[in-house]
Amino acid sequence: MQRMTRQRIAIIELLRNQQTFLSAQDIHDLLREGGVNIGLATVYRNLQAMYEDHTVDTIRQEGTDIQLFRYCAEDTHHHHLVCRCCGKTVDIKGGGFEQWARKIAAENDFSRVSHSFELYGQCSECINHESGHTLK
Ligand SMILES: [Zn+2]
Ligand SMILES: [Zn+2]
Ligand SMILES: [Zn+2]
């Protein structure tokens, strides 16, 4: 078990209060705004370590290489449904997708197979907001 640095604790506290996925840069900016003196490289290093010990989930921002992080209350294997407008995120179960992935791996004689799978869309609030504007 790694020693919890004050910086690590500050990052965890910040992420616990965020519902959306954030980039290392966003997290760094929010920490600095909150008066935490921390460098971007330190934020990034902590996030990587937290990802490795499953404290945070990570995804790639849709259509980019930017890595985003989120503290997820759900600690068993799951996926994410992400609103591309406001970033609202719902933890979802893979359902039949998990069996399909295992079956494909077995059929092709692959083991230690992992997958990343996220769904991106628009949440009802963003849709309503949008249609509210067009009605004017
Ligand atoms: Zn999650
Ligand atoms: Zn939304
Ligand atoms: Zn899965």
Side-chain angles (χ1 to χ4, degrees), residues 10 14 33 46-47 56 64 75 80 92 95:
L14 176 87
E33 274 169 35
N46 273 285
L47 289 168
V56 294
T64 74
D75 60 1
H80 303 101
I92 52 170

Side-chain angles (χ1 to χ4, degrees), residues 42-129:
T42 308
V43 171
Y44 202 75
R45 218 176 24 249
N46 273 285
L47 289 168
Q48 286 300 334
M50 286 159 73
Y51 166 62
E52 275 155 31
D53 66 20
H54 307 290
T55 307
V56 294
D57 283 349
T58 183
I59 62 170
R60 298 262 163 201
Q61 191 173 61
E62 190 186 25
T64 74
D65 274 342
I66 299 168
Q67 204 177 358
L68 305 177
F69 301 88
R70 179 175 182 260
Y71 178 89
C72 287
E74 177 65 61
D75 60 1
T76 57
H77 178 80
H78 65 279
H79 295 274
H80 303 101
L81 179 58
V82 184
C83 176
R84 65 169 69 91
C85 303
C86 67
K88 176 184 172 176
T89 300
V90 184
D91 288 330
I92 52 170
K93 287 286 173 190
F97 173 79
E98 305 296 341
Q99 278 104 10
W100 174 82
R102 271 196 294 275
K103 182 169 161 280
I104 293 292
E107 278 172 7
N108 291 284
D109 217 13
F110 271 56
S111 52
R112 295 175 185 173
V113 170
S114 66
H115 58 257
S116 65
F117 173 69
E118 321 299 338
L119 288 170
Y120 297 89
Q122 237 174 309
C123 76
S124 59
E125 266 172 55
C126 288
I127 293 280
N128 288 340
H129 186 73

Side-chain angles (χ1 to χ4, degrees), residues 128-136:
N128 288 340
H129 186 73
E130 208 172 66
S131 53
H133 276 291
T134 49
L135 283 173
K136 262 194 230 163

